[in-house]
Amino acid sequence: MGSQPKFRILLSSEEIEAKVKALADEIRRDYQDKHPLLIGVLKGSFMFMADLIRLLDFPLEVEFIRLSSYGGSRESSGKVRVVQGLRSPIKGRDVLVIEDIVDTGLTTSFLLDYLQKKIPASLKLCALTDKPSRRQTPVTIDYLGFTVPNKFIVGYGLDWDEKFRYLPDICFIQEKG
Ligand code: 5GP
């Protein structure tokens, strides 16, 4: 152990930058007169959220929520709970959830149900990546960056046991041999 694993770039920082810009254009078109509340799902979405919001030049508010799903392992336990909740009410607000990845969909569908109970005016989902081959429960992604293959990805905010979030590209770990 101790040595750095080999990464293969799946999505380069240039591709990500272009996609974030395209997503910001769509979101601006739909939300610029709505004073929306963007809720980032910690921790994985922080980099995406920061880049996206820098491009949204209209009135909006930002919140974060933290859920537990993976713990230290690479498999979803299916059990989700809110570790850090919202600081402001969302009733009557136009809410846009910002996710790093929708994998089994268990975390996101839990979150959307949890938020829907708080009676927002509207509730939509923006996800940077989607791994549909792993889905266990249906999730509608209103604004999607990339569909990714069934590989564990890291970088651009996404971690592996808290490591590799700093990578500017989205990568997967090259198998040995
Ligand atoms: P789900 O509940 O959809 O299975 O997974 C949700 C969470 O699992 C994501 O928000 C993310 O934190 C984590 N996750 C799922 N797939 C991946 C992956 O390929 N890479 C990383 N780094 N995290 C993942």
Side-chain angles (χ1 to χ4, degrees):
M1 296 304 284
S3 66
Q4 183 86 339
K6 274 203 164 43
F7 297 109
R8 291 244 343 232
I9 295 178
L10 181 64
L11 301 163
S12 69
S13 58
E14 291 80 10
E15 284 173 272
I16 297 168
E17 191 183 343
K19 187 65 81 174
V20 174
K21 195 167 177 308
L23 288 170
D25 289 343
E26 279 187 67
I27 293 168
R28 183 185 306 103
R29 183 196 63 205
D30 296 347
Y31 284 93
Q32 60 186 343
D33 301 320
K34 292 189 168 166
H35 198 255
L37 177 65
L38 272 63
I39 302 180
V41 185
L42 292 173
K43 298 178 191 174
S45 73
F46 78 94
M47 212 175 272
F48 174 40
M49 183 89 166
D51 285 347
L52 185 66
I53 283 170
R54 254 182 287 220
L55 299 172
L56 297 179
D57 44 1
F58 59 87
L60 57 81
E61 283 169 41
V62 173
E63 268 278 6
F64 288 97
I65 194 164
R66 187 157 169 211
L67 307 167
S68 75
S69 56
Y70 261 56
S73 103
R74 291 217 247 170
E75 282 302 311
S76 181
S77 63
K79 291 203 188 90
V80 184
R81 68 193 168 92
V82 178
V83 178
Q84 182 192 313
L86 300 172
R87 301 276 165 128
S88 48
I90 66 165
K91 189 172 179 183
R93 301 295 307 269
D94 288 297
V95 172
L96 180 60
V97 172
I98 310 294
E99 275 277 21
D100 52 353
I101 184 162
V102 182
D103 184 30
T104 63
L106 295 170
T107 311
T108 312
S109 68
F110 166 88
L111 177 60
L112 293 175
D113 284 352
Y114 172 87
L115 295 175
Q116 195 61 62
K117 290 192 185 114
K118 298 181 184 293
I119 328 179
S122 68
L123 180 60
K124 287 194 174 181
L125 172 66
C126 171
L128 180 64
T129 61
D130 180 22
K131 216 191 274 180
S133 56
R134 296 253 306 159
R135 198 71 94 251
Q136 290 180 28
T137 187
V139 173
T140 302
I141 303 175
D142 302 285
Y143 305 92
L144 173 63
F146 303 97
T147 299
V148 296
N150 186 7
K151 289 182 185 296
F152 194 83
I153 56 175
V154 294
Y156 196 65
L158 287 143
D159 74 310
W160 178 18
D161 289 349
E162 295 303 324
K163 297 192 285 280
F164 313 125
R165 291 191 199 275
Y166 61 86
L167 295 170
D169 310 297
I170 291 180
C171 304
F172 58 90
I173 293 166
Q174 172 109 57
E175 309 288 339
K176 288 207 177 79

